[in-house]
Amino acid sequence: MMRMTAGASTLAMAMGLLAPQLAVAQSAEPVAGDATATATAATAVPAPADGAQRYTPGDFASFSPRTALDMVEKVPGFVIVTGTNGGARGLGAATENVLINGERIANKSTDARSALQRIAASQVAYVDIVDGASLNVPGLTGQVANVVLVAGTAQARFTTTIRWQPDWRPRLDDNWLNGEVSTTGTIGGTHVTLSLKNEANRNGHWGPEQRFDGNGVRQSTRDELASYRGDRPRLALALARTTAGGDKWNFNLGGQLQKLVDAASSVAVGPTNGTLRETFKSVEDEHNFDVGGDYEFGLGQGRLKLIGLYRFEHSPNVDTFIVDRAIGGRSGERFTQTADEGESILRGEYGWRTAGGTDWQVALEGAYNTLDVDAEFATLQPDGSFLPVIFGGEKTRVEEKRGEASLTWGRALAPNLTAQINLGAEYSALSSSGPDGLTRRFVRPKGKLALAWKVGPRTTINYQLQRRVDQLNFFDFASSVDVANGQGNGGNGLLVPPVVNRTELEFVQDLSAWGNASVAFAYAYAQDLVDQIPLSPTTEGRGNLPGAHLYRISSKATLLLDRLGWKGARINSDLTWRRNRVRDPLTGSWRDQSEGQEYLVDVSLRHDIPGSELAWGASYFDEHFSPNVRLNAIENEYNDGAFVAAFVEHKDVAGFTVRLTYRNLAGQKNRFDRTVFVDRRNGPIAFSESRRREFGRYFQLTVTGTL
């Protein structure tokens, strides 16, 4: 009751701040003396490139943006590709569709959203949406946002951006610590950004789980409560400078602590064993840091950029599962794993443009990745201690030494047609000391062809043909035990990186005053995808599959409703349908890849009320993944119903934007169904479980602003 009361009081406080503004109509247009308008007007900006759509601060004025992220998110039909380059091999080509001053974010610890969040809206001169194939940035295709800052924006005066996002969930601890503060400015000609960010969460759910025997007869019903608590404070420093001679350098330093605690408890009453209590707890206490930078200077007819990066992560993790039986006593298991991960990268890029307008780039990259795992599996003894049990995965070391070279060519083939070709190859030496450990060496060609065809003034067709090499999860080389579900994976030292041969065709239509829409069709033939495979007649683990077929249809759109008479309203949509078809290693038949996305529906409505500082809206989100298929079990985790939310926003509460969101209006629930077989899943069923957990409706407050 105390937590719900706190949430209600915060709601009352926020509505109290909004109420006095309802009677005051304020202009959303820039006014004389506005800092953003003045800075932009005083800056001489180049004309948009052919085919580019330009958005100036005036186009976003009705939203009263606080940061560059607020602006880019309002571009019609554009969706930011989230995530960092951490899942890719090394630095390689660009993986996100956002540039800042024409340059990609070459920092594996900072994604596009985080970088844009730290740029004040007053520092943005304009945002250009361009075709990736028309840029001399390898890896970019489709729509790309180039955020260009106001010349001289690196001022001596520091600008501080703030985001605070607490939420209050029923039956769980209040989350007060989620947010970020960053400050940017100039010291002695060097642009400085210092940020402190904590991605805190206080999640959880509760409800019954039923257990059935192999004939479908219910054996017991558990009442369960699970909580997931995490704090991830990260402190980062970024320095950037452009010398009088045009040389550019960047330096990044960051460190993070992660404290993650997952806990679940349940009580069941069975017909034969009486009361049964189960307790699971997982604790991870991680620290990591990264240091990197780049230096770019003129050399001959072009420019050379040198990039370096080092990352290290120390992650101790302890999972404990205890069972107390009224008849049968107490038993338990514990799995402890301490992992040290390291990554070192050196990369050089030399690019130039010929007199005929052709862009060239030559790139060389070397990387050294390591993983050291110390693990222990132990069982609970009558005296309360845990006795280690040999399970074959106590120590594992994985190393990869990799080098790659690539050549990129790009130019306009016609006034309305641009092309970019990237050809490359990589050499890697991969070794493991775990099960089946050995050293193997590979040479793999890869590359990409991208075309952007401006069919008409408002219609663009993008095409790409790509062969890429994906990064392995080094933890798949090590053995592990899932104490909560009584199963585990054997380590596999024979894993090889997957190779994906992919083609995609995208149609982009500018709907003028109606908005923007795109649809894309993609197919890929994947070699050596990673899924569950038999490692022996009695064990299983992660391994490579035969050739697979991947299909995707996606669409992104923004519909502006002004012409329908609803001034200031818009609908955004992001829709995806996928099928990843793989050969089952047990039966040989075709099935969906384990835990592959099947569909995504993300639709939102926003209405900025004209003549006021108020906005409101709602969102609908539904996503589904295919089951996780093990050799002795089928596990299907999914959401029952869609996630629906509604918000009200005031754009000027003491200079801050304040949004209050009421989340999970439709009462979405988490579901988990598991069928476990006696031996392999082509045999008889041992038992099955069906879990249904709810997490209730809750409030979330978002406060953003600049100082």
Side-chain angles (χ1 to χ4, degrees):
M1 292 300 294
M2 290 297 291
R3 294 191 184 100
M4 297 302 293
T5 302
S9 65
T10 303
L11 171 62
M13 177 184 69
M15 295 305 294
L17 291 171
L18 296 177
Q21 305 297 329
L22 290 172
V24 182
Q26 300 183 26
S27 172
E29 299 299 322
V31 296
D34 178 77
T36 302
T38 302
T40 304
T43 304
V45 298
D50 291 340
Q53 292 178 285
R54 174 159 296 177
Y55 297 87
T56 66
D59 295 316
F60 305 106
S62 62
F63 305 109
S64 299
R66 301 293 176 184
T67 67
L69 178 62
D70 297 335
M71 303 170 84
V72 175
E73 286 183 327
K74 303 304 186 300
V75 173
F78 183 79
V79 177
I80 298 173
V81 176
T82 58
T84 67
N85 200 26
R89 292 173 71 76
L91 289 172
T95 58
E96 297 188 307
N97 60 347
V98 173
L99 303 176
I100 298 176
N101 283 338
E103 299 181 3
R104 69 186 180 106
I105 304 167
N107 184 345
K108 297 188 72 171
S109 300
T110 302
D111 62 12
R113 288 184 173 275
S114 296
L116 295 175
Q117 180 71 41
R118 295 164 188 166
I119 300 173
S122 60
Q123 297 175 317
V124 178
Y126 56 89
V127 178
D128 277 352
I129 304 298
V130 297
D131 298 315
S134 66
L135 301 169
N136 187 28
V137 181
L140 290 180
T141 54
Q143 291 185 303
V144 176
N146 182 25
V147 180
V148 179
L149 305 184
V150 175
T153 193
Q155 317 165 39
R157 185 182 70 86
F158 275 75
T159 300
T160 299
T161 61
I162 296 172
R163 179 186 61 85
W164 182 48
Q165 195 170 61
D167 56 47
W168 307 273
R169 293 173 178 249
R171 301 185 65 175
L172 299 170
D173 293 337
D174 297 335
N175 184 12
W176 295 98
L177 301 178
N178 183 40
E180 179 178 10
V181 57
S182 65
T183 184
T184 63
T186 300
I187 300 176
T190 299
H191 189 58
V192 180
T193 301
L194 182 64
S195 63
L196 176 61
K197 180 179 183 179
N198 184 23
E199 295 179 306
N201 65 276
R202 304 290 186 269
N203 301 335
H205 44 196
W206 55 88
E209 179 182 82
Q210 295 180 324
R211 183 183 174 106
F212 305 87
D213 65 17
N215 297 317
V217 177
R218 188 174 67 182
Q219 295 179 310
S220 62
T221 299
R222 298 186 180 96
D223 182 22
E224 299 185 319
L225 172 64
S227 63
Y228 313 98
R229 179 188 180 100
D231 284 289
R232 306 168 182 85
R234 173 177 168 81
L235 182 64
L237 171 68
L239 307 176
R241 186 183 182 100
T242 300
T243 68
D247 295 355
K248 300 178 181 179
W249 62 261
N250 295 276
F251 174 79
N252 301 286
L253 177 65
Q256 184 179 44
L257 302 176
Q258 292 198 39
K259 181 70 172 182
L260 310 178
V261 180
D262 297 346
S265 61
S266 66
V267 179
V269 178
T272 58
N273 295 329
T275 302
L276 181 75
R277 299 180 184 273
E278 296 181 344
T279 304
F280 171 76
K281 188 173 185 179
S282 176
V283 179
E284 181 175 355
D285 194 0
E286 174 190 314
H287 68 260
N288 62 70
F289 72 90
D290 57 271
V291 57
D294 60 76
Y295 187 81
E296 179 184 319
F297 58 95
L299 180 65
Q301 299 299 313
R303 296 185 67 82
L304 176 64
K305 176 181 282 190
L306 303 175
I307 308 171
L309 172 71
Y310 176 72
R311 298 195 305 161
F312 176 79
E313 179 179 309
H314 176 73
S315 306
N317 191 92
V318 180
D319 293 349
T320 307
F321 184 68
I322 303 294
V323 180
D324 285 298
R325 302 175 181 85
I327 302 176
R330 164 176 279 205
S331 64
E333 297 175 333
R334 185 181 69 189
F335 181 68
T336 303
Q337 184 182 78
T338 300
D340 291 329
E341 300 175 72
E343 180 177 34
S344 304
I345 303 174
L346 290 175
R347 180 177 175 86
E349 301 174 346
Y350 182 67
W352 71 96
R353 167 167 284 201
T354 68
T358 300
D359 292 313
W360 292 90
Q361 186 192 83
V362 178
L364 297 173
E365 180 172 305
Y368 178 57
N369 298 326
T370 62
L371 171 68
D372 287 285
V373 173
D374 289 325
E376 179 188 85
F377 175 60
T379 58
L380 183 65
Q381 302 302 298
D383 63 358
S385 64
F386 282 88
L387 178 65
V389 177
I390 296 176
F391 73 104
E394 281 72 16
K395 286 187 177 294
T396 303
R397 178 174 174 83
V398 185
E399 291 185 359
E400 183 183 33
K401 300 174 183 177
R402 182 180 53 80
E404 71 170 50
S406 65
L407 174 66
T408 302
W409 171 93
R411 67 166 294 128
L413 303 180
N416 64 340
L417 178 63
T418 57
Q420 184 186 99
I421 299 176
N422 176 268
L423 299 176
E426 72 167 47
Y427 163 84
S428 64
L430 188 61
S431 64
S432 168
S433 68
D436 301 319
L438 47 81
T439 298
R440 294 157 297 148
R441 294 173 175 82
F442 306 94
V443 176
R444 299 181 181 85
K446 56 185 180 180
K448 189 173 187 178
L449 164 66
L451 298 172
W453 180 23
K454 196 73 174 178
V455 180
R458 301 188 184 280
T459 304
T460 302
I461 298 178
N462 297 309
Y463 173 76
Q464 60 174 296
L465 179 66
Q466 180 186 30
R467 176 183 171 87
R468 74 169 193 257
V469 181
D470 288 349
Q471 178 65 40
L472 285 170
N473 182 351
F474 282 3
F475 284 93
D476 292 338
F477 288 83
S479 299
S480 62
V481 179
D482 180 356
V483 296
N485 292 309
Q487 58 193 20
N489 283 340
N492 184 2
L494 302 177
L495 283 163
V496 299
V499 176
V500 179
N501 306 282
R502 177 172 168 269
T503 183
E504 179 175 338
L505 184 65
E506 180 187 38
F507 300 87
V508 182
Q509 182 66 44
D510 179 7
L511 302 175
S512 186
W514 288 100
N516 183 286
S518 67
V519 60
F521 305 88
Y523 165 77
Y525 178 72
Q527 301 165 273
D528 296 319
L529 284 182
V530 176
D531 208 320
Q532 291 293 118
I533 69 167
L535 299 179
S536 75
T538 58
T539 62
E540 64 178 291
R542 306 294 286 172
N544 297 111
L545 297 181
H549 302 278
L550 316 180
Y551 307 88
R552 175 173 60 83
I553 302 175
S554 59
S555 173
K556 299 177 178 63
T558 297
L559 178 62
L560 306 178
L561 303 179
D562 294 69
R563 286 196 170 184
L564 296 179
W566 195 357
K567 301 296 183 181
R570 59 168 53 196
I571 296 175
N572 290 320
S573 66
D574 184 1
L575 312 174
T576 299
W577 173 90
R578 295 179 189 267
R579 281 296 179 271
N580 297 343
R581 304 294 290 171
V582 302
R583 283 282 189 186
D584 191 290
L586 181 63
T587 65
S589 60
W590 289 99
R591 64 166 173 84
D592 290 330
Q593 182 186 15
S594 292
E595 299 181 303
Q597 185 189 63
E598 294 186 348
Y599 68 81
L600 177 146
V601 178
D602 188 358
V603 181
S604 62
L605 165 70
R606 179 183 174 96
H607 181 211
D608 291 88
I609 301 174
S612 78
E613 293 289 353
L614 292 176
W616 66 276
S619 60
Y620 175 99
F621 183 87
D622 190 16
E623 186 177 25
H624 194 269
F625 294 86
S626 53
N628 179 36
V629 181
R630 298 179 58 87
L631 296 187
N632 68 337
I634 299 176
E635 302 169 342
N636 189 15
E637 185 171 3
Y638 60 99
N639 291 319
D640 185 1
F643 189 87
V644 179
F647 74 89
V648 59
E649 177 181 291
H650 196 292
K651 305 167 195 174
D652 189 7
V653 178
F656 288 83
T657 297
V658 178
R659 173 187 292 193
L660 186 67
T661 306
Y662 191 34
R663 299 170 65 82
N664 197 27
L665 273 71
Q668 181 189 78
K669 296 178 176 61
N670 300 138
R671 295 291 301 268
F672 180 75
D673 298 325
R674 182 166 78 121
T675 302
V676 179
F677 298 82
V678 173
D679 184 20
R680 299 302 199 192
R681 54 181 156 77
N682 53 358
I685 295 175
F687 65 91
S688 62
E689 297 171 327
S690 181
R691 175 192 304 163
R692 184 184 181 93
R693 292 176 176 174
E694 60 180 300
F695 54 97
R697 301 171 180 85
Y698 62 99
F699 288 105
Q700 182 181 78
L701 183 68
T702 305
V703 180
T704 57
T706 58
L707 300 175

